Amino acid sequence: GLGDVNKRQVVDLIGAARPSIADPFLPHKISEGRDDDIRECIGCNICYVGDQTGTPIRCTQNPTMGEEWRKGWHPEQIAAKGPSSSVLIVGSGPAGLEAALALGRRGYDVTVTEARNEVGGRVTRESALPGLAEYARVRDWRLTQIGKLPNVEVYPGSDVDEAQILEFGADHVVIATGAKWRRDGTGRWLEDPVPGWDRGSVLTPDDIMDGTMPTGPAVVFDDDHYYMGGVIAEKLRRARLDVTLVTPANEVSTWTSHTEEQHRLQKRLLELGVVIETGTSLAAIADGSVSLECVFTGSERSIAAANVIMVTSRIPNDALFHELADRISIQRIGDCRAPGTIATSVYSGHQYARELDAGTPDDVRFHREET
């Protein structure tokens, strides 16, 4: 390990930029031989997005990044619990696991239930897609740390309902059940469903991640513009399907220009033989074909399509929250509250844990530290 290299004095310096954002105590943990405590960078470049968009820096793995001064969030230290004792978290995705870990470190008795047999939510599912294997570190590091806490229990294969939540009787309930991809095509460009969206030939990234494989030719309609559209197209193309990626933007996965991935994604897809239709939207879906519409001129044309995969927007899975909202102490976190990046889900879970029994800080302006 890195600790052995350091002790043998083989190297004089270990340089770490993004890894030290994910874990500012990386050298300290290496020197103590605590490799399993290192919060590993996943290479998502969300930190770089702050520079690109003129916004405060954030990190998918380290939710305290950028909040050390503003909110007093220390990466390794957290205040002891308040007067409450127990918290039930429904959902074990990035938000649920982060909340469980932070609450557990504060001293609360935490129970996490997960409907699926595997924990991790979207990071488990997405990490099985091409190029996203490192995303599993978001799950793995938190499970390792939770395993060291006697007051946190995680129960996969436990799909709880309203009655079971009430019977459990926790002081606080957190709904972290994520979100699902829309099937009707509604997204940034299209405000209304695409005619023909309810055909059986229309799939979503959730269907693909659940194991459904189109027969091809397949059209991927990307009105999300982050990595998912390109990644789904790559997966289908690697399965030897004819794939056309359609996007209203002028390039593939355009938001990834902020993460320095865009040119790599488009190059990969072109090399794989994916046909790319930019500046184009879906006008209608028929049996065996789709109508494409130029976003500039409105002209339409038809291409063959046995399946359409909609990568547009997501809907929160928040039914449990609304059933119980006026009856118990309950909150939503992560994608269940507002679908976003994995980084925003982790931040949401951490924020809930920090503020439980403590309230929201009064002064959260961004200060400038004068040196």
Side-chain angles (χ1 to χ4, degrees), residues 63 78-81 89 95-108 110 141-142 145-146 149 151-152 346 349-354:
I78 193 167
K81 65 182 287 296
I89 300 174
L97 289 180
E98 176 61 31
L101 174 58
L103 289 168
R105 285 178 168 174
R106 289 190 65 190
Y108 291 95
V110 182
W141 181 80
R142 284 162 180 81
Q145 300 306 307
I146 286 172
L149 298 174
N151 53 322
V152 181
V346 172
H350 192 82
Q351 182 178 22
Y352 174 85
R354 289 269 181 176

PDB file of all heavy atoms in Angstrom, residues 63 78-81 89 95-108 110 141-142 145-146 149 151-152 346 349-354:
ATOM      1  N   PRO A  63     -18.729  15.787   1.389  1.00  0.00           N
ATOM      2  CA  PRO A  63     -19.763  16.829   1.413  1.00  0.00           C
ATOM      3  C   PRO A  63     -19.357  18.064   2.211  1.00  0.00           C
ATOM      4  O   PRO A  63     -20.020  19.095   2.120  1.00  0.00           O
ATOM      5  CB  PRO A  63     -20.965  16.127   2.056  1.00  0.00           C
ATOM      6  CG  PRO A  63     -20.359  15.060   2.910  1.00  0.00           C
ATOM      7  CD  PRO A  63     -19.141  14.590   2.146  1.00  0.00           C
ATOM      8  N   ILE A  78     -17.611  15.821  13.988  1.00  0.00           N
ATOM      9  CA  ILE A  78     -19.014  16.195  13.940  1.00  0.00           C
ATOM     10  C   ILE A  78     -19.543  16.250  15.368  1.00  0.00           C
ATOM     11  O   ILE A  78     -19.096  15.483  16.244  1.00  0.00           O
ATOM     12  CB  ILE A  78     -19.816  15.198  13.068  1.00  0.00           C
ATOM     13  CG1 ILE A  78     -21.205  15.740  12.743  1.00  0.00           C
ATOM     14  CG2 ILE A  78     -19.869  13.816  13.696  1.00  0.00           C
ATOM     15  CD1 ILE A  78     -21.928  14.970  11.646  1.00  0.00           C
ATOM     16  N   ALA A  79     -20.472  17.144  15.619  1.00  0.00           N
ATOM     17  CA  ALA A  79     -20.994  17.334  16.974  1.00  0.00           C
ATOM     18  C   ALA A  79     -21.736  16.102  17.469  1.00  0.00           C
ATOM     19  O   ALA A  79     -22.301  15.336  16.686  1.00  0.00           O
ATOM     20  CB  ALA A  79     -21.930  18.543  16.985  1.00  0.00           C
ATOM     21  N   ALA A  80     -21.737  15.934  18.795  1.00  0.00           N
ATOM     22  CA  ALA A  80     -22.465  14.825  19.414  1.00  0.00           C
ATOM     23  C   ALA A  80     -23.964  15.020  19.235  1.00  0.00           C
ATOM     24  O   ALA A  80     -24.446  16.120  18.949  1.00  0.00           O
ATOM     25  CB  ALA A  80     -22.117  14.722  20.890  1.00  0.00           C
ATOM     26  N   LYS A  81     -24.706  13.945  19.406  1.00  0.00           N
ATOM     27  CA  LYS A  81     -26.149  13.948  19.190  1.00  0.00           C
ATOM     28  C   LYS A  81     -26.870  14.924  20.098  1.00  0.00           C
ATOM     29  O   LYS A  81     -26.382  15.309  21.156  1.00  0.00           O
ATOM     30  CB  LYS A  81     -26.719  12.543  19.397  1.00  0.00           C
ATOM     31  CG  LYS A  81     -26.583  12.029  20.833  1.00  0.00           C
ATOM     32  CD  LYS A  81     -27.131  10.617  20.969  1.00  0.00           C
ATOM     33  CE  LYS A  81     -28.623  10.568  20.917  1.00  0.00           C
ATOM     34  NZ  LYS A  81     -29.287  11.279  22.050  1.00  0.00           N
ATOM     35  N   ILE A  89     -34.046   5.470   8.388  1.00  0.00           N
ATOM     36  CA  ILE A  89     -33.779   5.968   7.043  1.00  0.00           C
ATOM     37  C   ILE A  89     -34.283   4.939   6.034  1.00  0.00           C
ATOM     38  O   ILE A  89     -33.863   3.773   6.069  1.00  0.00           O
ATOM     39  CB  ILE A  89     -32.270   6.215   6.815  1.00  0.00           C
ATOM     40  CG1 ILE A  89     -31.758   7.248   7.829  1.00  0.00           C
ATOM     41  CG2 ILE A  89     -32.000   6.664   5.389  1.00  0.00           C
ATOM     42  CD1 ILE A  89     -30.259   7.459   7.773  1.00  0.00           C
ATOM     43  N   ALA A  95     -27.525   9.444  -0.556  1.00  0.00           N
ATOM     44  CA  ALA A  95     -28.051  10.321   0.492  1.00  0.00           C
ATOM     45  C   ALA A  95     -28.298   9.539   1.780  1.00  0.00           C
ATOM     46  O   ALA A  95     -27.916   9.974   2.882  1.00  0.00           O
ATOM     47  CB  ALA A  95     -29.331  10.993   0.024  1.00  0.00           C
ATOM     48  N   GLY A  96     -28.948   8.382   1.658  1.00  0.00           N
ATOM     49  CA  GLY A  96     -29.264   7.581   2.837  1.00  0.00           C
ATOM     50  C   GLY A  96     -28.033   7.084   3.560  1.00  0.00           C
ATOM     51  O   GLY A  96     -27.954   7.123   4.797  1.00  0.00           O
ATOM     52  N   LEU A  97     -27.040   6.606   2.807  1.00  0.00           N
ATOM     53  CA  LEU A  97     -25.817   6.094   3.437  1.00  0.00           C
ATOM     54  C   LEU A  97     -25.023   7.208   4.105  1.00  0.00           C
ATOM     55  O   LEU A  97     -24.473   7.026   5.198  1.00  0.00           O
ATOM     56  CB  LEU A  97     -24.951   5.379   2.401  1.00  0.00           C
ATOM     57  CG  LEU A  97     -25.468   4.036   1.899  1.00  0.00           C
ATOM     58  CD1 LEU A  97     -24.492   3.443   0.874  1.00  0.00           C
ATOM     59  CD2 LEU A  97     -25.676   3.048   3.048  1.00  0.00           C
ATOM     60  N   GLU A  98     -24.941   8.378   3.463  1.00  0.00           N
ATOM     61  CA  GLU A  98     -24.211   9.497   4.073  1.00  0.00           C
ATOM     62  C   GLU A  98     -24.906   9.965   5.346  1.00  0.00           C
ATOM     63  O   GLU A  98     -24.248  10.233   6.361  1.00  0.00           O
ATOM     64  CB  GLU A  98     -24.079  10.647   3.081  1.00  0.00           C
ATOM     65  CG  GLU A  98     -23.419  11.891   3.655  1.00  0.00           C
ATOM     66  CD  GLU A  98     -21.999  11.676   4.130  1.00  0.00           C
ATOM     67  OE1 GLU A  98     -21.287  10.826   3.550  1.00  0.00           O
ATOM     68  OE2 GLU A  98     -21.578  12.367   5.087  1.00  0.00           O
ATOM     69  N   ALA A  99     -26.227  10.057   5.303  1.00  0.00           N
ATOM     70  CA  ALA A  99     -26.969  10.455   6.500  1.00  0.00           C
ATOM     71  C   ALA A  99     -26.774   9.443   7.622  1.00  0.00           C
ATOM     72  O   ALA A  99     -26.571   9.804   8.779  1.00  0.00           O
ATOM     73  CB  ALA A  99     -28.457  10.609   6.170  1.00  0.00           C
ATOM     74  N   ALA A 100     -26.825   8.158   7.288  1.00  0.00           N
ATOM     75  CA  ALA A 100     -26.652   7.109   8.292  1.00  0.00           C
ATOM     76  C   ALA A 100     -25.282   7.172   8.944  1.00  0.00           C
ATOM     77  O   ALA A 100     -25.146   7.055  10.171  1.00  0.00           O
ATOM     78  CB  ALA A 100     -26.864   5.738   7.644  1.00  0.00           C
ATOM     79  N   LEU A 101     -24.248   7.377   8.119  1.00  0.00           N
ATOM     80  CA  LEU A 101     -22.892   7.437   8.656  1.00  0.00           C
ATOM     81  C   LEU A 101     -22.717   8.649   9.564  1.00  0.00           C
ATOM     82  O   LEU A 101     -22.202   8.529  10.683  1.00  0.00           O
ATOM     83  CB  LEU A 101     -21.889   7.499   7.499  1.00  0.00           C
ATOM     84  CG  LEU A 101     -20.423   7.707   7.887  1.00  0.00           C
ATOM     85  CD1 LEU A 101     -19.933   6.610   8.826  1.00  0.00           C
ATOM     86  CD2 LEU A 101     -19.549   7.792   6.639  1.00  0.00           C
ATOM     87  N   ALA A 102     -23.135   9.821   9.103  1.00  0.00           N
ATOM     88  CA  ALA A 102     -22.952  11.036   9.896  1.00  0.00           C
ATOM     89  C   ALA A 102     -23.790  10.999  11.172  1.00  0.00           C
ATOM     90  O   ALA A 102     -23.322  11.404  12.250  1.00  0.00           O
ATOM     91  CB  ALA A 102     -23.299  12.262   9.055  1.00  0.00           C
ATOM     92  N   LEU A 103     -25.026  10.510  11.075  1.00  0.00           N
ATOM     93  CA  LEU A 103     -25.865  10.382  12.270  1.00  0.00           C
ATOM     94  C   LEU A 103     -25.283   9.370  13.241  1.00  0.00           C
ATOM     95  O   LEU A 103     -25.303   9.567  14.463  1.00  0.00           O
ATOM     96  CB  LEU A 103     -27.281   9.970  11.878  1.00  0.00           C
ATOM     97  CG  LEU A 103     -28.135  11.022  11.167  1.00  0.00           C
ATOM     98  CD1 LEU A 103     -29.385  10.376  10.591  1.00  0.00           C
ATOM     99  CD2 LEU A 103     -28.514  12.148  12.128  1.00  0.00           C
ATOM    100  N   GLY A 104     -24.762   8.274  12.703  1.00  0.00           N
ATOM    101  CA  GLY A 104     -24.145   7.266  13.557  1.00  0.00           C
ATOM    102  C   GLY A 104     -22.939   7.808  14.299  1.00  0.00           C
ATOM    103  O   GLY A 104     -22.726   7.517  15.489  1.00  0.00           O
ATOM    104  N   ARG A 105     -22.138   8.606  13.618  1.00  0.00           N
ATOM    105  CA  ARG A 105     -20.966   9.200  14.263  1.00  0.00           C
ATOM    106  C   ARG A 105     -21.367  10.214  15.324  1.00  0.00           C
ATOM    107  O   ARG A 105     -20.630  10.439  16.286  1.00  0.00           O
ATOM    108  CB  ARG A 105     -20.078   9.854  13.206  1.00  0.00           C
ATOM    109  CG  ARG A 105     -19.301   8.841  12.379  1.00  0.00           C
ATOM    110  CD  ARG A 105     -18.467   9.496  11.303  1.00  0.00           C
ATOM    111  NE  ARG A 105     -17.513   8.553  10.717  1.00  0.00           N
ATOM    112  CZ  ARG A 105     -16.739   8.818   9.686  1.00  0.00           C
ATOM    113  NH1 ARG A 105     -16.807  10.021   9.103  1.00  0.00           N
ATOM    114  NH2 ARG A 105     -15.897   7.918   9.219  1.00  0.00           N
ATOM    115  N   ARG A 106     -22.538  10.804  15.168  1.00  0.00           N
ATOM    116  CA  ARG A 106     -23.019  11.725  16.194  1.00  0.00           C
ATOM    117  C   ARG A 106     -23.536  10.980  17.415  1.00  0.00           C
ATOM    118  O   ARG A 106     -23.645  11.572  18.500  1.00  0.00           O
ATOM    119  CB  ARG A 106     -24.136  12.611  15.629  1.00  0.00           C
ATOM    120  CG  ARG A 106     -23.661  13.647  14.621  1.00  0.00           C
ATOM    121  CD  ARG A 106     -24.766  14.637  14.285  1.00  0.00           C
ATOM    122  NE  ARG A 106     -25.137  15.437  15.454  1.00  0.00           N
ATOM    123  CZ  ARG A 106     -26.197  16.238  15.520  1.00  0.00           C
ATOM    124  NH1 ARG A 106     -27.001  16.344  14.466  1.00  0.00           N
ATOM    125  NH2 ARG A 106     -26.462  16.917  16.617  1.00  0.00           N
ATOM    126  N   GLY A 107     -23.877   9.696  17.248  1.00  0.00           N
ATOM    127  CA  GLY A 107     -24.308   8.895  18.382  1.00  0.00           C
ATOM    128  C   GLY A 107     -25.752   8.462  18.355  1.00  0.00           C
ATOM    129  O   GLY A 107     -26.240   7.841  19.299  1.00  0.00           O
ATOM    130  N   TYR A 108     -26.462   8.740  17.257  1.00  0.00           N
ATOM    131  CA  TYR A 108     -27.857   8.303  17.155  1.00  0.00           C
ATOM    132  C   TYR A 108     -27.928   6.811  16.840  1.00  0.00           C
ATOM    133  O   TYR A 108     -27.026   6.252  16.220  1.00  0.00           O
ATOM    134  CB  TYR A 108     -28.573   9.070  16.040  1.00  0.00           C
ATOM    135  CG  TYR A 108     -28.786  10.539  16.335  1.00  0.00           C
ATOM    136  CD1 TYR A 108     -27.866  11.486  15.876  1.00  0.00           C
ATOM    137  CD2 TYR A 108     -29.888  10.975  17.059  1.00  0.00           C
ATOM    138  CE1 TYR A 108     -28.056  12.838  16.137  1.00  0.00           C
ATOM    139  CE2 TYR A 108     -30.082  12.326  17.326  1.00  0.00           C
ATOM    140  CZ  TYR A 108     -29.162  13.251  16.867  1.00  0.00           C
ATOM    141  OH  TYR A 108     -29.342  14.580  17.135  1.00  0.00           O
ATOM    142  N   VAL A 110     -29.349   4.349  14.451  1.00  0.00           N
ATOM    143  CA  VAL A 110     -29.816   4.516  13.080  1.00  0.00           C
ATOM    144  C   VAL A 110     -30.157   3.164  12.466  1.00  0.00           C
ATOM    145  O   VAL A 110     -29.377   2.208  12.568  1.00  0.00           O
ATOM    146  CB  VAL A 110     -28.749   5.225  12.209  1.00  0.00           C
ATOM    147  CG1 VAL A 110     -29.279   5.433  10.799  1.00  0.00           C
ATOM    148  CG2 VAL A 110     -28.328   6.547  12.837  1.00  0.00           C
ATOM    149  N   TRP A 141     -17.063   3.064   0.544  1.00  0.00           N
ATOM    150  CA  TRP A 141     -16.419   3.742   1.671  1.00  0.00           C
ATOM    151  C   TRP A 141     -17.400   3.926   2.821  1.00  0.00           C
ATOM    152  O   TRP A 141     -17.070   3.700   3.988  1.00  0.00           O
ATOM    153  CB  TRP A 141     -15.864   5.099   1.239  1.00  0.00           C
ATOM    154  CG  TRP A 141     -15.181   5.811   2.374  1.00  0.00           C
ATOM    155  CD1 TRP A 141     -13.923   5.588   2.848  1.00  0.00           C
ATOM    156  CD2 TRP A 141     -15.741   6.836   3.199  1.00  0.00           C
ATOM    157  NE1 TRP A 141     -13.666   6.422   3.919  1.00  0.00           N
ATOM    158  CE2 TRP A 141     -14.764   7.198   4.149  1.00  0.00           C
ATOM    159  CE3 TRP A 141     -16.981   7.492   3.223  1.00  0.00           C
ATOM    160  CZ2 TRP A 141     -14.969   8.183   5.115  1.00  0.00           C
ATOM    161  CZ3 TRP A 141     -17.191   8.470   4.181  1.00  0.00           C
ATOM    162  CH2 TRP A 141     -16.207   8.811   5.108  1.00  0.00           C
ATOM    163  N   ARG A 142     -18.626   4.293   2.496  1.00  0.00           N
ATOM    164  CA  ARG A 142     -19.617   4.517   3.555  1.00  0.00           C
ATOM    165  C   ARG A 142     -20.022   3.214   4.235  1.00  0.00           C
ATOM    166  O   ARG A 142     -20.194   3.186   5.453  1.00  0.00           O
ATOM    167  CB  ARG A 142     -20.834   5.255   2.968  1.00  0.00           C
ATOM    168  CG  ARG A 142     -20.518   6.722   2.762  1.00  0.00           C
ATOM    169  CD  ARG A 142     -21.427   7.486   1.826  1.00  0.00           C
ATOM    170  NE  ARG A 142     -20.936   8.867   1.771  1.00  0.00           N
ATOM    171  CZ  ARG A 142     -19.915   9.252   1.009  1.00  0.00           C
ATOM    172  NH1 ARG A 142     -19.317   8.393   0.204  1.00  0.00           N
ATOM    173  NH2 ARG A 142     -19.499  10.504   1.054  1.00  0.00           N
ATOM    174  N   GLN A 145     -17.231   2.352   6.680  1.00  0.00           N
ATOM    175  CA  GLN A 145     -17.280   3.173   7.888  1.00  0.00           C
ATOM    176  C   GLN A 145     -18.479   2.829   8.765  1.00  0.00           C
ATOM    177  O   GLN A 145     -18.373   2.769   9.996  1.00  0.00           O
ATOM    178  CB  GLN A 145     -17.307   4.660   7.510  1.00  0.00           C
ATOM    179  CG  GLN A 145     -16.108   5.128   6.707  1.00  0.00           C
ATOM    180  CD  GLN A 145     -14.791   4.813   7.374  1.00  0.00           C
ATOM    181  OE1 GLN A 145     -14.565   5.157   8.538  1.00  0.00           O
ATOM    182  NE2 GLN A 145     -13.911   4.128   6.655  1.00  0.00           N
ATOM    183  N   ILE A 146     -19.620   2.568   8.147  1.00  0.00           N
ATOM    184  CA  ILE A 146     -20.810   2.180   8.905  1.00  0.00           C
ATOM    185  C   ILE A 146     -20.571   0.860   9.625  1.00  0.00           C
ATOM    186  O   ILE A 146     -21.035   0.646  10.759  1.00  0.00           O
ATOM    187  CB  ILE A 146     -22.032   2.083   7.967  1.00  0.00           C
ATOM    188  CG1 ILE A 146     -22.506   3.491   7.578  1.00  0.00           C
ATOM    189  CG2 ILE A 146     -23.170   1.285   8.598  1.00  0.00           C
ATOM    190  CD1 ILE A 146     -23.589   3.516   6.510  1.00  0.00           C
ATOM    191  N   LEU A 149     -19.457   1.076  13.165  1.00  0.00           N
ATOM    192  CA  LEU A 149     -20.344   1.719  14.138  1.00  0.00           C
ATOM    193  C   LEU A 149     -21.364   0.713  14.673  1.00  0.00           C
ATOM    194  O   LEU A 149     -22.140   0.142  13.901  1.00  0.00           O
ATOM    195  CB  LEU A 149     -21.079   2.892  13.486  1.00  0.00           C
ATOM    196  CG  LEU A 149     -20.212   4.045  12.962  1.00  0.00           C
ATOM    197  CD1 LEU A 149     -21.078   5.052  12.210  1.00  0.00           C
ATOM    198  CD2 LEU A 149     -19.468   4.723  14.105  1.00  0.00           C
ATOM    199  N   ASN A 151     -23.984   1.323  16.339  1.00  0.00           N
ATOM    200  CA  ASN A 151     -25.318   1.908  16.477  1.00  0.00           C
ATOM    201  C   ASN A 151     -26.016   2.140  15.145  1.00  0.00           C
ATOM    202  O   ASN A 151     -27.051   2.808  15.082  1.00  0.00           O
ATOM    203  CB  ASN A 151     -25.238   3.230  17.251  1.00  0.00           C
ATOM    204  CG  ASN A 151     -24.227   4.203  16.658  1.00  0.00           C
ATOM    205  OD1 ASN A 151     -23.168   3.792  16.204  1.00  0.00           O
ATOM    206  ND2 ASN A 151     -24.530   5.486  16.683  1.00  0.00           N
ATOM    207  N   VAL A 152     -25.455   1.603  14.052  1.00  0.00           N
ATOM    208  CA  VAL A 152     -26.085   1.731  12.734  1.00  0.00           C
ATOM    209  C   VAL A 152     -26.322   0.339  12.156  1.00  0.00           C
ATOM    210  O   VAL A 152     -25.391  -0.456  12.044  1.00  0.00           O
ATOM    211  CB  VAL A 152     -25.227   2.562  11.761  1.00  0.00           C
ATOM    212  CG1 VAL A 152     -25.927   2.682  10.409  1.00  0.00           C
ATOM    213  CG2 VAL A 152     -24.939   3.944  12.336  1.00  0.00           C
ATOM    214  N   VAL A 346     -25.340  13.316  -1.713  1.00  0.00           N
ATOM    215  CA  VAL A 346     -24.455  13.119  -0.566  1.00  0.00           C
ATOM    216  C   VAL A 346     -24.505  14.350   0.338  1.00  0.00           C
ATOM    217  O   VAL A 346     -24.598  14.239   1.564  1.00  0.00           O
ATOM    218  CB  VAL A 346     -23.011  12.847  -1.035  1.00  0.00           C
ATOM    219  CG1 VAL A 346     -22.051  12.833   0.148  1.00  0.00           C
ATOM    220  CG2 VAL A 346     -22.942  11.506  -1.775  1.00  0.00           C
ATOM    221  N   GLY A 349     -27.777  14.416   2.359  1.00  0.00           N
ATOM    222  CA  GLY A 349     -27.768  13.488   3.490  1.00  0.00           C
ATOM    223  C   GLY A 349     -26.908  13.993   4.631  1.00  0.00           C
ATOM    224  O   GLY A 349     -27.271  13.871   5.815  1.00  0.00           O
ATOM    225  N   HIS A 350     -25.763  14.572   4.297  1.00  0.00           N
ATOM    226  CA  HIS A 350     -24.865  15.094   5.326  1.00  0.00           C
ATOM    227  C   HIS A 350     -25.480  16.305   6.022  1.00  0.00           C
ATOM    228  O   HIS A 350     -25.382  16.440   7.259  1.00  0.00           O
ATOM    229  CB  HIS A 350     -23.518  15.469   4.711  1.00  0.00           C
ATOM    230  CG  HIS A 350     -22.458  15.728   5.718  1.00  0.00           C
ATOM    231  ND1 HIS A 350     -21.732  14.716   6.314  1.00  0.00           N
ATOM    232  CD2 HIS A 350     -22.004  16.887   6.275  1.00  0.00           C
ATOM    233  CE1 HIS A 350     -20.878  15.227   7.176  1.00  0.00           C
ATOM    234  NE2 HIS A 350     -21.023  16.547   7.173  1.00  0.00           N
ATOM    235  N   GLN A 351     -26.111  17.168   5.253  1.00  0.00           N
ATOM    236  CA  GLN A 351     -26.738  18.350   5.831  1.00  0.00           C
ATOM    237  C   GLN A 351     -27.834  17.968   6.821  1.00  0.00           C
ATOM    238  O   GLN A 351     -27.946  18.558   7.906  1.00  0.00           O
ATOM    239  CB  GLN A 351     -27.314  19.235   4.732  1.00  0.00           C
ATOM    240  CG  GLN A 351     -27.946  20.519   5.247  1.00  0.00           C
ATOM    241  CD  GLN A 351     -28.467  21.393   4.125  1.00  0.00           C
ATOM    242  OE1 GLN A 351     -28.726  20.908   3.014  1.00  0.00           O
ATOM    243  NE2 GLN A 351     -28.622  22.672   4.382  1.00  0.00           N
ATOM    244  N   TYR A 352     -28.641  16.978   6.456  1.00  0.00           N
ATOM    245  CA  TYR A 352     -29.688  16.526   7.381  1.00  0.00           C
ATOM    246  C   TYR A 352     -29.067  16.055   8.692  1.00  0.00           C
ATOM    247  O   TYR A 352     -29.534  16.419   9.784  1.00  0.00           O
ATOM    248  CB  TYR A 352     -30.507  15.395   6.759  1.00  0.00           C
ATOM    249  CG  TYR A 352     -31.491  14.805   7.743  1.00  0.00           C
ATOM    250  CD1 TYR A 352     -32.739  15.377   7.916  1.00  0.00           C
ATOM    251  CD2 TYR A 352     -31.161  13.705   8.532  1.00  0.00           C
ATOM    252  CE1 TYR A 352     -33.639  14.874   8.852  1.00  0.00           C
ATOM    253  CE2 TYR A 352     -32.038  13.186   9.465  1.00  0.00           C
ATOM    254  CZ  TYR A 352     -33.285  13.778   9.618  1.00  0.00           C
ATOM    255  OH  TYR A 352     -34.153  13.288  10.553  1.00  0.00           O
ATOM    256  N   ALA A 353     -28.014  15.269   8.589  1.00  0.00           N
ATOM    257  CA  ALA A 353     -27.389  14.718   9.785  1.00  0.00           C
ATOM    258  C   ALA A 353     -26.782  15.811  10.654  1.00  0.00           C
ATOM    259  O   ALA A 353     -26.844  15.752  11.887  1.00  0.00           O
ATOM    260  CB  ALA A 353     -26.316  13.707   9.399  1.00  0.00           C
ATOM    261  N   ARG A 354     -26.156  16.794  10.033  1.00  0.00           N
ATOM    262  CA  ARG A 354     -25.554  17.900  10.781  1.00  0.00           C
ATOM    263  C   ARG A 354     -26.597  18.733  11.520  1.00  0.00           C
ATOM    264  O   ARG A 354     -26.363  19.199  12.638  1.00  0.00           O
ATOM    265  CB  ARG A 354     -24.776  18.805   9.836  1.00  0.00           C
ATOM    266  CG  ARG A 354     -23.491  18.219   9.289  1.00  0.00           C
ATOM    267  CD  ARG A 354     -22.306  18.555  10.144  1.00  0.00           C
ATOM    268  NE  ARG A 354     -21.077  18.002   9.573  1.00  0.00           N
ATOM    269  CZ  ARG A 354     -19.870  18.216  10.090  1.00  0.00           C
ATOM    270  NH1 ARG A 354     -19.722  18.965  11.167  1.00  0.00           N
ATOM    271  NH2 ARG A 354     -18.804  17.676   9.526  1.00  0.00           N
TER     272      ARG A 354
END
